[in-house]
């Protein structure tokens, strides 16, 4: 039975139990005690039968849960004619499982969207023309046309003069890569320049992107399922319950006292308190733009001790930004940016689009360029307000500048230099980089104060770029140049230090997100694959939401445990009272209902959790809308 079918079945059980209890009370009030007994029995029977089946399945897996106590109480109540008590217990139990199922309702979806990113067909050269063929039909040696904006469908070698590839989703590199004839183009990369030709070297099923899909699926299968928090107390509570019930029966010879003990012992404080507290916490986390896919990952978040961060798009913004503008001809910085951005409006190059965005952010008016000619991956030439402008790489612009380059600023690792020439003269340079997100240092310090003992960076980018970006952050480790399977290995290795949380945004992060105890995806601008593989999705493009999410998880777990301890303590007192004959089975069931209400009200305090760090707990109006 699938997840939807299971949820519907649990809902039907709850409705059936409630209907049986209400119908029985109705006919009992009319003086029809026999019919009332039948109605209560009818309401209990499907719940008890389902419970017995689940217990048998659990025992075959070597698991012992608190469901046994509920089954014993309903069975004993029916056996000794206490059908009303049995009906009350059935409603309590089915209601608890329904709430638990609701808590798991945000479970992860299938990985179909990971495959959806790759086109279903490719354009293949055939007899002087082109044909659209399914990916499975591509053979090594086939010549493919990769148009601008297309995702490379299979691994291959470039046969055109050059190409410009955005490999951030595969390798984690923050800036697009210019490759020349003969270089390898990995599947999953996006063509950020003009169309080019590729000769396939692998079939689709053996290519890089398909390998990442397999890694995600294997990592998800290997992750051990979360046991319910309630079951951790099951054996001890079960032993205490059986001991008190047997002692009451043996010492008094009255089996009804044993029934009353079992009814009071029905572990609804455990069954109800945990899912209610966790569902409330899940709702509270969503208020901060954090979507957590179920109560299992949420409960695990409270125990996280190691945090592994991707770099591009996670620790950094993932989009090139201007870090410096240098004038070479007494031209103002704004004028340099205005002319460069005006011409770059005609280009789809990521760096060009970043310049356009930066110019608009400064409120600069951008005229429409004319007579534009672009050399893919190198630069653009055209007319802006009647002036001949060239913008692009230093070599390209120098070639179109009468006075040459005149020198240029030194570049840090991971930076890109954009040159500008106007009317044949070098006008200036713009230095582009992918900087850290604002407040990253303060966020990491806050996470350490909250209980995170190890923070590491795992990136596919070059080591010198990673070291420059993270200088001064005080990380416990830095791993650069990692492939997707190496990121998975790092996650598995770090598990010896405790539960691991992995945060990433690209397709290359998806296997590690799936392998981690808790995977967190930057869902606002990240790849769909990472969002599908992750247990947690940040719906707003702010990594600092991790802090509030962890605070809420810890507080929700604490509230759940408080509710469990208080509820079980009251239940034990009720069991003792029932053993001494002070409570009948029905009175015991009603007392348990009062305990349940108190436990639920306490668990709902999770809806009012406020993250401890004021720097990360503030939510502005824009982000509230987004979440």
């Amino acid at each position: 039975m699938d997840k939807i079918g299971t949820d519907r079945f649990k809902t039907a059980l709850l409705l059936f139990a409630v209907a049986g209890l209400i119908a029985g009370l109705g006919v009992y009030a009319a003086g029809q005690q026999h019919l009332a007994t039948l109605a209560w029995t009818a309401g209990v029977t499907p719940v008890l039968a389902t419970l017995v089946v689940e217990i048998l399945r659990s025992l075959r897996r070597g698991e012992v849960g608190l469901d046994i106590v509920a089954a014993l109480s309903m069975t004993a109540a029916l056996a000794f004619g206490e059908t009303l008590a049995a009906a009350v217990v059935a409603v309590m139990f089915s209601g608890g499982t329904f709430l638990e199922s609701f808590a798991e309702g945000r479970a992860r979806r299938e990985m179909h969207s990971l495959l959806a990113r790759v086109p279903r067909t490719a354009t293949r050269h055939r007899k002087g023309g082109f044909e659209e063929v399914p990916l499975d039909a591509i053979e090594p040696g086939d010549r493919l046309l990769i148009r601008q904006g297309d995702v490379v469908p299979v691994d291959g070698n470039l046969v055109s003069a050059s190409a410009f590839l955005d490999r951030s989703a595969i390798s984690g590199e923050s800036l697009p890569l210019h490759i020349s004839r003969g270089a390898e183009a990995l599947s999953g990369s996006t063509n950020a320049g003009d169309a080019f030709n590729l000769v396939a070297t692998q079939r689709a099923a053996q290519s890089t992107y398909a390998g990442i899909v397999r890694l995600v699926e294997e990592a998800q299968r290997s992750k051990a399922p979360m046991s319910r928090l309630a079951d951790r107390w099951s054996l001890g509570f079960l032993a205490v319950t059986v001991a008190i019930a047997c002692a009451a029966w043996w010492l008094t010879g009255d089996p009804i006292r044993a029934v009353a003990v079992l009814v009071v012992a029905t572990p609804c404080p455990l069954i109800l308190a945990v899912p209610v507290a966790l569902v409330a916490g899940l709702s509270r986390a969503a208020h901060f733009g954090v979507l957590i896919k179920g109560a299992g990952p949420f409960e695990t978040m409270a125990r996280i001790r190691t945090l592994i961060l991707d770099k591009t798009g996670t620790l950094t913004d993932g989009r090139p930004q201007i870090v410096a503008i240098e004038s070479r001809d007494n031209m103002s910085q704004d004028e340099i940016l205005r002319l460069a951005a005006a011409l770059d409006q005609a280009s789809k190059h990521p760096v060009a689009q970043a310049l356009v965005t930066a110019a608009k952010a400064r409120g600069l008016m951008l005229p429409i360029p004319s007579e534009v000619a672009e050399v893919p991956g190198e630069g653009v030439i055209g007319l802006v307000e009647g002036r001949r402008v060239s913008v692009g790489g230093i070599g390209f612009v120098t070639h179109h500048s009468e006075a040459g380059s005149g020198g240029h600023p030194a570049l840090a690792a991971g930076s890109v230099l954009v040159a500008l020439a106007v009317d044949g003269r070098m006008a200036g340079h713009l230095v582009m980089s992918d900087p850290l997100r604002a407040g990253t240092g303060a966020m990491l310090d806050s996470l350490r104060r909250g209980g995170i003992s190890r923070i590491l960076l795992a990136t596919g980018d070059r080591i010198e770029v990673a070291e420059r970006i993270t200088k001064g952050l005080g990380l416990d480790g830095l791993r650069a140049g990692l492939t997707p399977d190496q990121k998975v290995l790092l996650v598995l290795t770090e598990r010896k230090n405790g539960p691991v949380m992995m945060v990433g945004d690209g397709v290359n992060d998806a296997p590690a997100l799936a392998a981690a105890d808790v995977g967190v995806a930057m869902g606002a601008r990240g790849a769909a694959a990472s969002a599908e593989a992750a247990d947690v999705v940040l719906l707003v493009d702010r990594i600092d939401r991790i802090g509030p999410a962890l605070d809420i998880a810890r507080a929700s777990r604490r509230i759940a445990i408080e509710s469990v301890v208080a509820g079980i303590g009251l239940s034990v007192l009720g069991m003792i009272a029932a053993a001494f004959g002070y409570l009948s089975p029905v009175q015991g069931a009603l007392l348990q209902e009062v305990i349940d209400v108190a436990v639920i009200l306490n668990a709902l305090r999770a809806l009012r959790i406020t993250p401890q760090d004021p720097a990360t707990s503030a939510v502005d109006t824009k982000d509230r809308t987004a979440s």
Side-chain angles (χ1 to χ4, degrees), residues 108 111 113-114 117 169 209 212 216 220 293 314 502-511 513-514 519-537:
R108 71 185 81 248
M111 288 298 298
S113 67
L114 180 61
R117 184 177 181 273
Y209 196 79
I212 291 177
V216 172
Q220 285 186 324
K293 301 179 182 179
T314 303
M502 170 73 190
V503 186
D505 76 317
V507 175
N508 62 313
D509 300 316
L513 295 178
V520 180
M522 304 292 292
R525 290 192 292 112
S530 62
E532 290 294 337
D535 303 292
V536 180
V537 179

Short mmCIF file of all heavy atoms in Angstrom, two decimals, residues 108 111 113-114 117 169 209 212 216 220 293 314 502-511 513-514 519-537:
data_model
loop_
_atom_site.label_atom_id
_atom_site.label_comp_id
_atom_site.label_asym_id
_atom_site.label_seq_id
_atom_site.Cartn_x
_atom_site.Cartn_y
_atom_site.Cartn_z
N ARG A 108 9.47 12.83 1.71
CA ARG A 108 10.08 13.16 0.42
C ARG A 108 9.31 12.55 -0.74
O ARG A 108 8.73 11.47 -0.62
CB ARG A 108 11.53 12.68 0.41
CG ARG A 108 11.65 11.18 0.36
CD ARG A 108 13.11 10.76 0.47
NE ARG A 108 13.52 10.77 1.85
CZ ARG A 108 14.38 11.63 2.35
NH1 ARG A 108 14.90 12.55 1.59
NH2 ARG A 108 14.73 11.57 3.61
N MET A 111 12.13 10.71 -6.97
CA MET A 111 13.24 11.44 -7.56
C MET A 111 13.01 11.77 -9.04
O MET A 111 13.94 12.01 -9.79
CB MET A 111 14.52 10.60 -7.44
CG MET A 111 15.05 10.50 -6.03
SD MET A 111 15.52 12.11 -5.38
CE MET A 111 16.80 12.56 -6.53
N SER A 113 11.97 14.37 -10.54
CA SER A 113 12.39 15.69 -11.02
C SER A 113 13.89 15.75 -11.27
O SER A 113 14.36 16.60 -12.02
CB SER A 113 12.00 16.77 -10.01
OG SER A 113 12.72 16.62 -8.81
N LEU A 114 14.65 14.87 -10.63
CA LEU A 114 16.08 14.82 -10.90
C LEU A 114 16.31 14.45 -12.36
O LEU A 114 17.11 15.05 -13.06
CB LEU A 114 16.75 13.81 -9.98
CG LEU A 114 18.26 13.62 -10.13
CD1 LEU A 114 18.98 14.92 -9.85
CD2 LEU A 114 18.76 12.53 -9.23
N ARG A 117 15.36 17.17 -15.24
CA ARG A 117 16.25 18.26 -15.63
C ARG A 117 16.96 17.94 -16.94
O ARG A 117 17.25 18.84 -17.73
CB ARG A 117 17.29 18.51 -14.53
CG ARG A 117 18.19 19.70 -14.83
CD ARG A 117 19.15 19.96 -13.70
NE ARG A 117 19.98 21.12 -14.00
CZ ARG A 117 21.12 21.07 -14.67
NH1 ARG A 117 21.57 19.91 -15.09
NH2 ARG A 117 21.80 22.17 -14.92
N ALA A 169 26.05 23.11 -11.40
CA ALA A 169 25.17 22.06 -10.89
C ALA A 169 25.90 20.72 -10.75
O ALA A 169 25.48 19.85 -9.99
CB ALA A 169 23.97 21.88 -11.81
N TYR A 209 25.78 12.51 -15.23
CA TYR A 209 24.52 12.90 -14.60
C TYR A 209 23.73 11.69 -14.14
O TYR A 209 23.17 11.65 -13.05
CB TYR A 209 23.70 13.74 -15.57
CG TYR A 209 22.60 14.51 -14.91
CD1 TYR A 209 22.87 15.70 -14.24
CD2 TYR A 209 21.29 14.07 -14.94
CE1 TYR A 209 21.87 16.42 -13.63
CE2 TYR A 209 20.27 14.78 -14.34
CZ TYR A 209 20.57 15.95 -13.68
OH TYR A 209 19.58 16.67 -13.07
N ILE A 212 25.07 10.40 -10.93
CA ILE A 212 24.62 11.16 -9.76
C ILE A 212 23.24 10.69 -9.33
O ILE A 212 22.96 10.53 -8.14
CB ILE A 212 24.61 12.67 -10.08
CG1 ILE A 212 26.05 13.18 -10.24
CG2 ILE A 212 23.88 13.46 -9.01
CD1 ILE A 212 26.15 14.63 -10.62
N VAL A 216 22.24 9.09 -5.59
CA VAL A 216 21.15 9.56 -4.73
C VAL A 216 20.26 8.39 -4.31
O VAL A 216 19.92 8.23 -3.14
CB VAL A 216 20.31 10.63 -5.46
CG1 VAL A 216 19.07 10.97 -4.66
CG2 VAL A 216 21.13 11.88 -5.70
N GLN A 220 19.84 6.97 -0.44
CA GLN A 220 18.56 6.97 0.23
C GLN A 220 18.18 5.58 0.71
O GLN A 220 17.63 5.42 1.80
CB GLN A 220 17.48 7.51 -0.71
CG GLN A 220 17.55 9.01 -0.90
CD GLN A 220 16.40 9.54 -1.72
OE1 GLN A 220 15.93 8.89 -2.65
NE2 GLN A 220 15.93 10.71 -1.38
N LYS A 293 10.69 17.75 5.78
CA LYS A 293 9.89 16.69 5.20
C LYS A 293 9.62 15.57 6.18
O LYS A 293 10.09 14.44 6.01
CB LYS A 293 10.56 16.14 3.95
CG LYS A 293 10.81 17.17 2.85
CD LYS A 293 11.52 16.53 1.68
CE LYS A 293 11.82 17.53 0.59
NZ LYS A 293 12.52 16.90 -0.54
N THR A 314 25.66 28.20 -1.61
CA THR A 314 25.29 27.86 -0.24
C THR A 314 26.00 28.79 0.73
O THR A 314 25.39 29.66 1.34
CB THR A 314 25.64 26.39 0.07
OG1 THR A 314 25.00 25.54 -0.87
CG2 THR A 314 25.20 26.01 1.47
N MET A 502 24.10 17.96 6.11
CA MET A 502 24.76 18.44 4.90
C MET A 502 23.89 19.50 4.26
O MET A 502 22.67 19.31 4.12
CB MET A 502 24.97 17.28 3.92
CG MET A 502 25.43 17.68 2.53
SD MET A 502 27.15 18.24 2.49
CE MET A 502 27.25 18.93 0.82
N VAL A 503 24.50 20.64 3.87
CA VAL A 503 23.76 21.74 3.24
C VAL A 503 24.33 21.98 1.86
O VAL A 503 25.55 22.16 1.71
CB VAL A 503 23.85 23.03 4.07
CG1 VAL A 503 22.95 24.10 3.47
CG2 VAL A 503 23.48 22.78 5.52
N GLY A 504 23.48 21.97 0.83
CA GLY A 504 23.94 22.21 -0.53
C GLY A 504 22.82 22.70 -1.41
O GLY A 504 21.67 22.83 -0.98
N ASP A 505 23.16 22.99 -2.68
CA ASP A 505 22.13 23.53 -3.57
C ASP A 505 22.17 22.95 -4.98
O ASP A 505 21.24 23.15 -5.75
CB ASP A 505 22.28 25.05 -3.67
CG ASP A 505 23.45 25.47 -4.55
OD1 ASP A 505 24.52 24.85 -4.43
OD2 ASP A 505 23.28 26.40 -5.36
N GLY A 506 23.24 22.27 -5.36
CA GLY A 506 23.38 21.82 -6.73
C GLY A 506 23.07 20.35 -6.91
O GLY A 506 22.92 19.59 -5.95
N VAL A 507 23.00 19.93 -8.17
CA VAL A 507 22.79 18.52 -8.47
C VAL A 507 23.93 17.69 -7.90
O VAL A 507 23.74 16.57 -7.42
CB VAL A 507 22.69 18.32 -10.00
CG1 VAL A 507 22.60 16.85 -10.35
CG2 VAL A 507 21.49 19.06 -10.55
N ASN A 508 25.16 18.25 -7.94
CA ASN A 508 26.30 17.51 -7.42
C ASN A 508 26.22 17.27 -5.92
O ASN A 508 26.90 16.40 -5.38
CB ASN A 508 27.60 18.24 -7.75
CG ASN A 508 27.67 19.62 -7.11
OD1 ASN A 508 26.71 20.38 -7.18
ND2 ASN A 508 28.77 19.94 -6.49
N ASP A 509 25.39 18.04 -5.22
CA ASP A 509 25.23 17.86 -3.78
C ASP A 509 24.16 16.82 -3.43
O ASP A 509 24.09 16.38 -2.27
CB ASP A 509 24.85 19.19 -3.12
CG ASP A 509 25.89 20.26 -3.32
OD1 ASP A 509 27.08 19.95 -3.17
OD2 ASP A 509 25.52 21.40 -3.64
N ALA A 510 23.33 16.46 -4.40
CA ALA A 510 22.18 15.62 -4.10
C ALA A 510 22.54 14.28 -3.46
O ALA A 510 21.90 13.87 -2.49
CB ALA A 510 21.35 15.40 -5.37
N PRO A 511 23.57 13.55 -3.94
CA PRO A 511 23.89 12.28 -3.27
C PRO A 511 24.30 12.47 -1.81
O PRO A 511 23.91 11.69 -0.95
CB PRO A 511 25.06 11.74 -4.11
CG PRO A 511 24.90 12.38 -5.45
CD PRO A 511 24.36 13.75 -5.17
N LEU A 513 23.43 14.93 0.17
CA LEU A 513 22.24 15.32 0.93
C LEU A 513 21.42 14.09 1.30
O LEU A 513 20.87 13.99 2.40
CB LEU A 513 21.38 16.29 0.11
CG LEU A 513 21.99 17.66 -0.20
CD1 LEU A 513 21.03 18.47 -1.06
CD2 LEU A 513 22.31 18.42 1.08
N ALA A 514 21.33 13.15 0.36
CA ALA A 514 20.57 11.94 0.63
C ALA A 514 21.28 11.03 1.64
O ALA A 514 20.63 10.35 2.42
CB ALA A 514 20.34 11.17 -0.68
N GLY A 519 19.71 16.16 5.30
CA GLY A 519 20.17 16.93 4.15
C GLY A 519 19.34 18.20 4.02
O GLY A 519 18.12 18.15 4.11
N VAL A 520 20.01 19.33 3.82
CA VAL A 520 19.34 20.62 3.72
C VAL A 520 19.64 21.22 2.34
O VAL A 520 20.82 21.37 1.97
CB VAL A 520 19.80 21.61 4.81
CG1 VAL A 520 19.07 22.94 4.68
CG2 VAL A 520 19.57 21.00 6.20
N ALA A 521 18.60 21.57 1.59
CA ALA A 521 18.77 22.13 0.25
C ALA A 521 18.37 23.59 0.23
O ALA A 521 17.40 23.99 0.88
CB ALA A 521 17.93 21.35 -0.76
N MET A 522 19.14 24.39 -0.52
CA MET A 522 18.78 25.79 -0.76
C MET A 522 17.72 25.80 -1.85
O MET A 522 18.03 25.86 -3.04
CB MET A 522 20.01 26.58 -1.18
CG MET A 522 21.18 26.52 -0.19
SD MET A 522 20.80 27.35 1.36
CE MET A 522 20.72 29.05 0.81
N GLY A 523 16.48 25.73 -1.46
CA GLY A 523 15.40 25.51 -2.42
C GLY A 523 14.99 26.72 -3.21
O GLY A 523 14.32 26.60 -4.24
N ALA A 524 15.34 27.94 -2.76
CA ALA A 524 14.88 29.14 -3.45
C ALA A 524 15.46 29.24 -4.85
O ALA A 524 14.78 29.57 -5.81
CB ALA A 524 15.25 30.39 -2.64
N ARG A 525 16.78 28.95 -4.98
CA ARG A 525 17.42 29.02 -6.29
C ARG A 525 18.21 27.75 -6.60
O ARG A 525 18.87 27.66 -7.63
CB ARG A 525 18.38 30.21 -6.36
CG ARG A 525 17.69 31.55 -6.39
CD ARG A 525 18.65 32.67 -6.76
NE ARG A 525 19.65 32.91 -5.76
CZ ARG A 525 20.94 32.67 -5.89
NH1 ARG A 525 21.39 32.15 -7.01
NH2 ARG A 525 21.79 32.94 -4.93
N GLY A 526 18.16 26.76 -5.72
CA GLY A 526 18.93 25.55 -5.93
C GLY A 526 18.29 24.63 -6.96
O GLY A 526 17.19 24.86 -7.45
N ALA A 527 19.02 23.56 -7.27
CA ALA A 527 18.54 22.59 -8.25
C ALA A 527 17.40 21.77 -7.66
O ALA A 527 17.36 21.48 -6.47
CB ALA A 527 19.69 21.67 -8.67
N ALA A 528 16.46 21.37 -8.55
CA ALA A 528 15.34 20.55 -8.10
C ALA A 528 15.83 19.22 -7.54
O ALA A 528 15.24 18.68 -6.61
CB ALA A 528 14.39 20.31 -9.28
N ALA A 529 16.95 18.71 -8.08
CA ALA A 529 17.47 17.43 -7.60
C ALA A 529 17.86 17.51 -6.13
O ALA A 529 17.58 16.59 -5.36
CB ALA A 529 18.68 17.02 -8.44
N SER A 530 18.53 18.58 -5.74
CA SER A 530 18.93 18.71 -4.34
C SER A 530 17.72 18.85 -3.43
O SER A 530 17.68 18.31 -2.33
CB SER A 530 19.89 19.89 -4.16
OG SER A 530 19.26 21.10 -4.52
N ALA A 531 16.70 19.57 -3.89
CA ALA A 531 15.49 19.73 -3.09
C ALA A 531 14.77 18.40 -2.90
O ALA A 531 14.20 18.14 -1.84
CB ALA A 531 14.55 20.75 -3.74
N GLU A 532 14.80 17.54 -3.92
CA GLU A 532 14.15 16.24 -3.81
C GLU A 532 14.93 15.31 -2.89
O GLU A 532 14.36 14.55 -2.13
CB GLU A 532 14.02 15.61 -5.20
CG GLU A 532 13.01 16.31 -6.09
CD GLU A 532 11.60 16.18 -5.59
OE1 GLU A 532 11.31 15.24 -4.84
OE2 GLU A 532 10.77 17.03 -5.93
N ALA A 533 16.26 15.35 -2.97
CA ALA A 533 17.08 14.44 -2.17
C ALA A 533 17.14 14.85 -0.71
O ALA A 533 17.40 14.03 0.16
CB ALA A 533 18.50 14.39 -2.74
N ALA A 534 16.90 16.13 -0.43
CA ALA A 534 17.09 16.65 0.93
C ALA A 534 15.91 16.32 1.82
O ALA A 534 14.78 16.07 1.37
CB ALA A 534 17.29 18.17 0.88
N ASP A 535 16.18 16.35 3.13
CA ASP A 535 15.13 16.21 4.15
C ASP A 535 14.54 17.56 4.51
O ASP A 535 13.42 17.64 5.01
CB ASP A 535 15.71 15.58 5.42
CG ASP A 535 16.37 14.24 5.16
OD1 ASP A 535 15.64 13.30 4.83
OD2 ASP A 535 17.60 14.15 5.27
N VAL A 536 15.32 18.63 4.29
CA VAL A 536 14.91 19.99 4.64
C VAL A 536 15.17 20.90 3.45
O VAL A 536 16.21 20.79 2.79
CB VAL A 536 15.72 20.50 5.86
CG1 VAL A 536 15.30 21.92 6.24
CG2 VAL A 536 15.56 19.56 7.05
N VAL A 537 14.22 21.79 3.15
CA VAL A 537 14.38 22.74 2.06
C VAL A 537 14.21 24.15 2.61
O VAL A 537 13.20 24.45 3.25
CB VAL A 537 13.35 22.48 0.93
CG1 VAL A 537 13.52 23.51 -0.19
CG2 VAL A 537 13.51 21.07 0.37
#
